[in-house]
Amino acid sequence: MKISVKSRYALKLMLALAMQEGANLSVKSVAESQGISEKYLEQIIPILVRDGMVRSVRGAKGGYHLVKSAEDYTVGTILRAVEGSIAPVSCLDDEVNQCARCKACVTLDLWEQVDQAISNVVDHVTLADLVDKQRRIDARCAVRREERGNC
């Protein structure tokens, strides 16, 4: 399974918003801080707004912010908002397998295990977990910059 660029950028966007929880961030500021095309982010934002994850605020101090706290978003919910299903094969997209061959499919069990393994990871990592990890990385880099002038 390959995570799309759109999903990776959506996760980066959500992380940027979580890092500045309570503030409204412009698409331009997120694009600059994350090294992402502003035009690309403008395609992702409506998906997250429509899914109720991000709220838009108009005006001079406007921008985007998370609707809920960072602890309330898992990586899985973000990926599914952007991708729909993240199952490794299409026959696992629906709650009930619609494939006419599923009863005789020798690889179905394998794909179900892969799907479960992926879900076990992405559904147990929250934005808050990523924020904590990013802050630890930033702190380490700050110390290294002071010591050696780089990170």
Side-chain angles (χ1 to χ4, degrees):
M1 181 182 135
K2 195 173 227 179
I3 303 297
S4 71
V5 170
K6 186 189 285 187
S7 288
R8 292 193 342 252
Y9 286 0
L11 186 58
K12 283 183 166 193
L13 168 65
M14 293 291 284
L15 179 59
L17 296 177
M19 293 287 294
Q20 302 294 320
E21 199 161 13
N24 293 318
L25 298 181
S26 69
V27 171
K28 182 178 183 171
S29 69
V30 173
E32 288 173 358
S33 72
Q34 298 298 314
I36 300 171
S37 156
E38 201 172 327
K39 295 263 186 224
Y40 209 129
L41 282 181
E42 287 172 350
Q43 295 172 23
I44 296 169
I45 285 276
I47 297 167
L48 299 172
V49 169
R50 187 174 48 248
D51 214 58
M53 296 181 164
V54 172
R55 183 168 293 134
S56 169
V57 176
R58 294 189 179 275
K61 296 189 180 198
Y64 297 93
H65 63 266
L66 298 179
V67 172
K68 300 180 210 168
S69 148
E71 294 86 24
D72 295 325
Y73 298 98
T74 66
V75 171
T77 58
I78 297 164
L79 296 178
R80 288 183 189 94
V82 175
E83 296 292 334
S85 171
I86 58 171
V89 290
S90 60
C91 66
L92 296 178
D93 285 345
D94 300 318
E95 182 112 0
V96 175
N97 194 323
Q98 302 295 319
C99 179
R101 298 177 41 98
C102 72
K103 300 275 190 251
C105 181
V106 69
T107 59
L108 180 59
D109 185 54
L110 169 71
W111 300 130
E112 288 173 337
Q113 288 177 52
V114 169
D115 186 43
Q116 189 60 51
I118 292 168
S119 293
N120 282 339
V121 172
V122 299
D123 291 338
H124 290 94
V125 176
T126 68
L127 272 182
D129 297 329
L130 296 177
V131 166
D132 290 344
K133 191 171 193 172
Q134 184 65 59
R135 288 189 175 138
R136 286 193 307 272
I137 290 169
D138 292 348
R140 260 195 333 264
C141 285
V143 168
R144 286 184 186 147
R145 271 193 300 274
E146 284 181 19
E147 292 172 353
R148 293 185 220 132
N150 65 6
C151 178

